[in-house]
Each structure stands twice: as C-alpha cells, then as structure tokens.
C-alpha cells in the first residue's frame, strides 16, 4: 500500500534538518484541512522563524509527485497536504483485492509475544459485570494483537486460592447436605460463604477449624483438595457458559493456586537482594524510592502469602515461560495501587525489558440501570441471564422487523451478543459505563446492531450485483464524488486505526472507526445508485461496497462481534 504519510515525511526530510519531522505530521480531523498537515508553529522555536514563513519556505522547497500528493497548501502556519484521490482508491482496492478479509493486518508484531491477563474471576464468587468488561476488552485485544502479527497468549488468572477456601470447606462439611449444588451453584456457594463468615465472627472454634482446613488444603490433603476441585469445577462450568456465548478463549487457566508453590522463590530472591524489611511481623518491600508510600506486603505475620506475592510469582513465571514483549493486565482501576506496587517490585525479579512490558490496562466501573432486564438474586446479577435476555430481546426486534428471516435464532444470538460487545467496547477503557440494554440494541444508534445492519446492506447490494466485479473491470475514475472519496479515505486508515488501538490498548478506537465507516457508507449508498445499466459505474460502486463489507466484517471480528449475513 502507498504510505502517504511516509511519502510526505521523506520529502520533508530532504529539505529540513529537523530531527523526527515525521512525528510532527498530523491527520486533521477535518479533511477540508488536508489529509495530512504539518503544524509549523511546532517548528518555530527551533527554526527561529514565524510559522507562516516556515510553511511557505517548505512548500517552495519540496517536490511531491502529483500522482501521490495532488495539492500542498499553506493555511495559517499549517502546511496541508491533499492526497491524490485516484492513488488512494487504487491502493485501497489493490490491497483489498490481494488481502481480502485480512485487509488491515500486518506483520509488525512478528516474533513478539503478548501476554494478556483478562477475565480472571474468583472461584465460588459471581461473575459480575466488571468481569464482563475485562473479558471483552481482553478478548478484543487478543485478536487485535494477533492481527498485527504478534503472538497473543490469553491467561485466565483465576482467583482460586486463599484462606476463604478453608472457610468454604468448613461450610460444606457443616451444611453441604442442605444445598443442591447442581443448580445455580455460585449463588449457593456465596450463601454458604456468607453464613460461615458470620459464624466465624461469633465462634473462635469454627474459625480455627477453617484455618486448619486451609493448611490441610495447602499440604495436599485429599478430602480438602477434592472439595476445592469441586468448587472450582462448579464455578468453571458457570463461567464457561458465559465464555461460550461470548466466544472468548484462553490459552491458560493458571490461576493463583498455580503460583502457591512458586512464592518461596520470590521471597528468596527479594531477601537475598536485601529488599525485604519487617513490619509488625510481616515481610514487606519498601517502595518509597519510586514514590509509592504503601509498601508491598509479601508475607503476612502468620506466614501466609497474599494476592500480590502470587502475582509476583506470575510475573517471573511469565517472563521465563513466554519471554513476553508486553504483559497486559486488564483489571478494574480499583486495583491501581496493587499493580503499581507489583510492577515496582518486579524490577528486583526480572530483566528490565520485562518490567517495561508490564502494563495495567485499567478500566472504569460499570453500573446497571435497575429495571426489568436485570435478574437479581439478592444483590447478584447473573451475567448469563443478562446475555440470554438480550438475545431474547434481539429476537423480538427481529420478529417485528423481518418475521420471515431464516435462522432467526442464530441471527438473534449474533445481534444480541454483538449489541453487548459493542456497547462495552464503545467508550475508552477508563470511562465509567452504564450498561443499558435498550441503548445497546437500538438499530439506529451507534451500536453493534447498526453496524450489523449496514453490513447486511452491503451483502444485499453484492447479492443483487451477482458477484464482486473483477478489479480489472473496475474504472476508479468513476468514483470522484465526495461521498465515495471520503469513504475510501476512511477505509485507507484501517491498518493505522488497528495499530493505534494496540498502542493504546483501546478497542474503542476500532469501534468508533467502524461507526464512521458505516455512516460514510450510508451516505454513499443514499447518494449513489449502485445498481444501474451503466456497468462501468455499477462495477466501481459495487467494488467499493465490497471493500466496506470486508472492513466492517474484519473490524467487527477484531472486537469479537460476528456479522449475520441477513437480518
Ligand atoms: N481475581 C481478581 C478479581 O476478580 C482479578 C485478577 C486479575 N489478574 C491478576 N493477575 N491480578 O478481582
């Protein structure tokens, strides 16, 4: 593909001595201001000249191939570049013709491993709506990195370890026969846990028995281990229902328990390096030197390790096992301090290149509007029910709009799930969200169903045309109207958008982009007749429709949204 920005940068490099001039080139949000623009006020200080003068001088000196950059203009100290429309259409069409549904992919990540820690719910606890967000952000980033040639490794760092399991075992011993765990096991386990916790507060003996159970579990006692496995299996069965519906996968389920026997080494290394201090009997690592006032606890006074210790063991293990380029933690921002602490301690455990690769991909809170759509049992929202209800709702809408549609169930599933995924991935990670199903399912809003609807439209156009025209029968000079040109330019950006989304770990960059593509297609479609007697025009417009079809499908696929063929 022609890299227009690079063409401009290379020419600018020839005529100025400014280091990294390419980094100053911007893509104006308003294309009237050029497709690329150089804000010369940013060079004014170095060159000791007025921006307008710099812009004029640069314009004089550079010579750009008109077949690539058709116009250069000086406006208010900006040097604006307009790309040649024929060139951009040709390069997009050629590239899509060659790469098809892999359009936008690249190999920039080849040979680099990205570890993604996402979803990671706690055993015997509900999978809540915050977990839904990490699951979807993580699942999308997984695909986005793969598309750029990286190797993604998805890890479900299950919360399957801790003293609470000693309590759960005791609760089961005492009341196991009261609960039928074959149905709705998680809520029942939560119930048992609340009950035993209350009892522990009142009865020291019970508490001691719980502690004893945990010790037995740690030492591999058969009865306790079997029970722990039972809790884990019951929980996983519930979690897997959600993963199945969402089509989210993991390469590893090594959770906290996996690291239980790997924490000694951490304490060892830190001790040998003299980084451990004692604080009220606990072993801690002081982090004042990097501006963190809360030391990181490594071992409690009673000798047990904590969440952080197991995460440290995980960093060492992941560095050794995956030799990662990045290790991303998609976890709510509530855990900011935790990640700051463990990343700071990590410098004593692994090579600097690994420390640099550690990143907390923090996300905001999600709340639910209380209403019909949320099934509540006590205070617990069952995500599985929510997913199913959304699919049901999608089915109602489809029944209304297109009662004769084939495979209605399949389509409703894609639309319902697509609505949830898009809604979750439509704002930047850190923003708090309200999960509102009615907005998510609005076919006319900026939603998953809207994208799917536009995609289906491209399908029906292509169906009417018969088949996608051969590129050699396409005369691109036909596509000179504003709507067509704007649409092609947007399609040109796809790879760049994916790269940005990976750089910032923000899937919403792709979701916003897809909405733009869909809207521009809608304008193009309304302003241009695609099926006409003039085959020259029909072929060109049909080919452009085909390109939109590819970008919408591939882009949605990166977010985890599946496209129905009809709806
Ligand atoms: N289990 C934790 C929770 O539900 C999230 C774990 C995130 N991953 C990690 N390596 N700490 O809050």
């Amino acid at each position: 593909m022609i890299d227009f920005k690079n063409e401009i940068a290379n020419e600018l490099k020839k005529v100025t001595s400014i280091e990294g001039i390419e980094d100053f080139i911007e893509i104006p949000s308003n294309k009237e201001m050029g497709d690329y623009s150089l804000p010369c006020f940013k060079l004014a200080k170095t060159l000791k000249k007025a921006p307008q003068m710099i812009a004029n001088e640069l314009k004089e000196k550079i010579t750009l191939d008109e077949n690539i950059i058709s116009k250069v203009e000086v406006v208010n100290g900006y040097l604006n570049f307009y790309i040649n429309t024929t060139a951009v259409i040709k390069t997009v069409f050629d590239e899509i013709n060659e790469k098809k549904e892999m359009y936008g992919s690249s190999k920039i990540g080849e040979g680099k491993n990205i570890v993604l820690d996402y979803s990671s719910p706690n055993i015997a606890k509900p999978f809540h709506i915050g977990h839904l967000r990490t699951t979807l952000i993580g699942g999308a980033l997984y695909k986005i990195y793969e598309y750029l040639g990286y190797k993604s490794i998805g890890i479900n760092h299950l919360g399957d370890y801790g003293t609470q399991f000693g309590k759960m075992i005791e609760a089961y011993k005492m009341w196991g026969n009261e609960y039928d765990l074959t149905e709705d096991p998680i809520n029942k386990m939560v119930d048992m846990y609340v009950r035993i916790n209350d009892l522990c507060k009142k009865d020291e003996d019970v508490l001691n028995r719980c502690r004893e159970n945990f010790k037995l579990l740690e030492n591999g006692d058969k009865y306790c281990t079997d029970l722990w496995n039972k809790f884990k299996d019951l929980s996983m069965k519930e979690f897997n229902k959600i993963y199945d519906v969402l089509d989210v996968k993991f390469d590893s389920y090594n959770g906290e328990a996996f690291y239980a026997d790997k924490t000694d080494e951490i304490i060892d290394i830190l001790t040998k390096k003299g980084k451990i201090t004692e604080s009220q009997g606990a072993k801690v690592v002081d982090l004042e030197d990097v501006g963190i006032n809360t030391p990181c606890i490594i071992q409690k006074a009673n000798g047990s390790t904590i969440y952080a210790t197991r995460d440290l063991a995980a960093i060492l293990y992941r560095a050794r096992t995956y030799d990662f380029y990045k290790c991303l933690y998609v976890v709510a921002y509530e855990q900011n301090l935790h990640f700051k602490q463990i990343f700071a301690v990590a410098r004593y455990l692994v090579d600097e290149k690994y420390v640099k690769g550690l990143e907390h991909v923090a996300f905001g809170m999600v709340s639910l509007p209380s209403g019909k759509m949320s099934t509540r049992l006590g205070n617990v929202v069952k995500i599985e029910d929510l997913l199913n209800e959304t699919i049901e709702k999608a089915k109602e809408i489809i029944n209304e709009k297109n009662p004769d549609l084939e495979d209605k169930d399949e389509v409703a599933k894609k639309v319902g799930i697509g609505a949830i995924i898009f809604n979750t991935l439509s704002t930047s990670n850190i923003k708090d969200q309200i999960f509102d199903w009615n907005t998510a399912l609005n076919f006319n809003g900026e939603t998953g169903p809207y994208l799917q609807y536009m995609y289906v439209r491209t399908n029906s156009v292509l169906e009417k045309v018969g088949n996608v025209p051969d590129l050699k029968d396409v005369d691109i000079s036909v596509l000179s109207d504003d709507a067509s040109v704007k649409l092609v330019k947007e399609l040109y950006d796809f790879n760049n958008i994916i790269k940005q989304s990976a750089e910032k770990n923000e899937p919403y960059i792709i979701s916003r982009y897809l909405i733009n593509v869909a809207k521009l297609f809608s304008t193009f479609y309304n302003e241009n007749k695609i099926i006409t007697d003039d085959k020259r025009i029909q072929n060109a417009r049909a080919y452009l429709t085909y390109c939109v079809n590819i970008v919408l499908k591939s882009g949605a696929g990166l977010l985890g949204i599946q496209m129905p063929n009809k709806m």
Side-chain angles (χ1 to χ4, degrees):
M1 258 190 134
I2 303 176
D3 187 340
F4 293 100
K5 190 178 168 187
N6 204 26
E7 297 284 335
I8 297 166
N10 283 341
E11 196 51 35
L12 287 171
K13 273 187 215 157
K14 283 187 204 156
V15 299
T16 65
S17 53
I18 292 193
E19 192 82 23
I21 184 98
E22 62 270 26
D23 298 333
F24 290 101
I25 302 173
E26 293 174 353
I27 301 179
S29 49
N30 176 3
K31 295 259 191 262
E32 308 291 311
M33 314 296 287
D35 298 299
Y36 296 92
S37 178
L38 183 74
C40 294
F41 68 89
K42 290 193 176 163
L43 314 177
K45 228 182 169 174
T46 329
L47 296 176
K48 299 197 177 64
K49 273 182 204 163
Q52 185 78 5
M53 200 168 165
I54 300 173
N56 280 322
E57 281 181 16
L58 285 175
K59 189 187 168 191
E60 282 304 302
K61 284 189 201 154
I62 52 174
T63 32
L64 282 156
D65 182 351
E66 251 175 63
N67 296 318
I68 292 179
I69 302 293
S70 55
K71 192 171 77 175
V72 184
E73 242 177 29
V74 174
V75 183
N76 297 330
Y78 279 82
L79 195 54
N80 297 339
F81 302 87
Y82 296 82
I83 59 184
N84 182 304
T85 11
T86 314
V88 69
I89 301 174
K90 189 168 170 359
T91 194
V92 167
F93 282 14
D94 281 345
E95 183 83 359
I96 291 184
N97 184 45
E98 191 193 313
K99 281 186 145 180
K100 307 255 165 5
E101 31 290 302
M102 291 309 284
Y103 173 67
S105 67
S106 78
K107 295 198 159 84
I108 53 164
E110 234 171 26
K112 292 187 178 130
N113 296 338
I114 309 288
V115 169
L116 292 129
D117 179 322
Y118 56 103
S119 198
S120 310
N122 299 323
I123 297 301
K125 294 270 168 62
F127 189 100
H128 58 70
I129 198 141
H131 289 123
L132 185 62
R133 208 167 173 193
T134 148
T135 304
L136 294 176
I137 296 172
L141 291 176
Y142 187 104
K143 297 193 175 89
I144 292 166
Y145 277 102
E146 291 260 297
Y147 211 60
L148 295 174
Y150 296 92
K151 169 101 196 79
S152 295
I153 298 128
I155 300 182
N156 197 334
H157 187 83
L158 296 167
D160 55 1
Y161 197 81
T163 47
Q164 71 270 28
F165 288 98
K167 288 184 177 167
M168 280 301 295
I169 292 166
E170 193 57 29
Y172 191 84
K173 274 191 199 163
M174 293 174 73
W175 314 304
N177 54 359
E178 289 175 34
Y179 295 88
D180 172 13
L181 292 178
T182 52
E183 226 176 274
D184 199 13
I186 294 195
N187 282 320
K188 285 176 188 155
M189 288 191 279
V190 169
D191 207 50
M192 286 164 83
Y193 184 69
V194 171
R195 212 170 142 189
I196 192 79
N197 238 347
D198 282 347
L199 193 58
C200 281
K201 278 177 206 147
K202 290 181 216 137
D203 191 336
E204 184 91 8
D205 284 346
V206 179
L207 183 64
N208 285 332
R209 288 209 301 271
C210 295
R211 287 185 176 138
E212 190 52 34
N213 290 337
F214 181 60
K215 254 186 220 137
L216 286 169
L217 178 64
E218 277 193 299
N219 295 332
D221 171 78
K222 169 128 173 52
Y223 176 81
C224 290
T225 310
D226 284 353
L227 262 188
W228 173 79
N229 270 319
K230 183 185 169 91
F231 300 142
K232 197 165 159 168
D233 289 346
L234 287 168
S235 308
M236 280 319 296
K237 230 163 111 190
E238 294 298 295
F239 300 156
N240 281 332
K241 283 187 203 162
I242 298 166
Y243 298 142
D244 282 347
V245 178
L246 297 174
D247 198 25
V248 172
K249 300 197 167 48
F250 301 91
D251 300 297
S252 158
Y253 293 84
N254 285 341
E256 291 189 49
F258 177 79
Y259 298 103
D261 64 0
K262 297 173 181 60
T263 50
D264 282 352
E265 187 183 0
I266 300 301
I267 300 172
D268 232 43
I269 298 174
L270 293 171
T271 311
K272 283 200 184 111
K273 292 198 172 167
K275 301 300 174 192
I276 299 266
T277 42
E278 298 272 332
S279 167
Q280 295 163 334
K283 288 187 161 78
V284 307
V285 176
D286 193 276
L287 301 169
E288 294 271 4
D289 67 318
V290 284
I292 301 170
N293 298 326
T294 327
C296 184
I297 300 175
I298 304 296
Q299 192 176 41
K300 291 196 285 188
N302 68 8
S304 55
T305 57
I306 70 162
Y307 178 54
T309 331
R310 293 186 283 280
D311 252 331
L312 290 169
I315 291 176
L316 183 58
Y317 179 85
R318 290 170 185 179
R320 283 174 180 162
T321 312
Y322 305 113
D323 182 30
F324 60 78
Y325 173 65
K326 284 187 195 177
C327 177
L328 308 175
Y329 296 82
V330 188
V331 185
Y333 71 65
E334 278 103 324
Q335 296 196 28
N336 262 350
L337 176 62
H338 166 75
F339 286 105
K340 274 199 186 125
Q341 289 177 316
I342 62 164
F343 294 171
V345 179
R347 66 199 149 125
Y348 304 133
L349 301 171
V350 292
D351 197 88
E352 196 188 317
K353 68 174 177 185
Y354 297 120
V355 180
K356 275 202 191 123
L358 298 168
E359 197 174 327
H360 178 199
V361 179
F363 61 86
M365 298 227 300
V366 198
S367 52
L368 283 168
S370 47
K372 270 220 295 292
M373 295 286 290
S374 50
T375 310
R376 276 159 189 272
L377 186 93
N379 249 337
V380 176
V381 183
K382 278 196 79 188
I383 299 294
E384 192 198 338
D385 289 348
L386 287 175
L387 296 176
N388 290 333
E389 277 178 73
T390 313
I391 295 170
E392 271 314 304
K393 253 201 119 129
K395 197 153 42 183
E396 279 167 31
I397 300 175
I398 290 164
N399 269 331
E400 228 170 76
K401 289 198 183 228
N402 192 354
D404 303 325
L405 184 72
E406 274 174 54
D407 303 327
K408 258 191 268 184
D409 287 344
E410 253 321 285
V411 176
K413 194 176 160 197
K414 287 180 179 167
V415 172
I417 299 304
I420 287 178
I421 298 180
F422 189 88
N423 195 63
T424 306
L425 301 179
S426 61
T427 55
S428 87
N429 297 333
I430 201 65
K431 270 202 188 148
D432 291 342
Q433 285 185 330
I434 294 176
F435 213 89
D436 185 345
W437 280 262
N438 292 319
T439 326
L441 275 167
N442 182 350
F443 280 44
N444 300 314
E446 298 186 348
T447 62
Y450 170 73
L451 283 184
Q452 290 167 324
Y453 185 65
M454 281 303 163
Y455 171 79
V456 165
R457 241 189 206 181
T458 62
N459 265 349
S460 55
V461 169
L462 295 172
E463 204 169 285
K464 278 189 202 131
V465 173
N467 38 30
V468 180
D470 217 325
L471 191 50
K472 65 176 187 336
D473 302 327
V474 172
D475 172 5
I476 53 181
S477 69
V478 169
L479 300 169
S480 55
D481 65 291
D482 212 37
S484 305
V485 172
K486 276 197 180 133
L487 179 55
V488 176
K489 283 185 178 173
E490 196 70 23
L491 298 179
Y492 172 80
D493 272 345
F494 192 38
N495 174 255
N496 186 28
I497 289 287
I498 300 169
K499 274 195 222 149
Q500 272 181 43
S501 151
E503 257 159 43
K504 301 194 168 129
N505 294 312
E506 288 277 18
Y508 95 100
I509 293 177
I510 294 177
S511 64
R512 302 317 305 158
Y513 168 79
L514 293 175
I515 291 290
N516 287 342
V517 171
K519 283 185 179 167
L520 289 170
F521 174 72
S522 172
T523 311
F524 159 79
Y525 178 87
N526 291 330
E527 289 180 4
N528 292 295
K529 234 174 133 174
I530 301 176
I531 314 290
T532 89
D533 290 337
D534 186 338
K535 288 292 164 254
R536 224 168 52 98
I537 292 182
Q538 176 169 309
N539 278 348
R541 291 181 179 161
Y543 203 85
L544 179 49
T545 304
Y546 166 68
C547 294
V548 172
N549 179 280
I550 292 273
V551 168
L552 287 180
K553 188 171 184 176
S554 309
L558 292 175
L559 303 176
I561 298 172
Q562 294 177 22
M563 291 300 203
N565 289 324
K566 290 199 162 76
M567 70 191 264

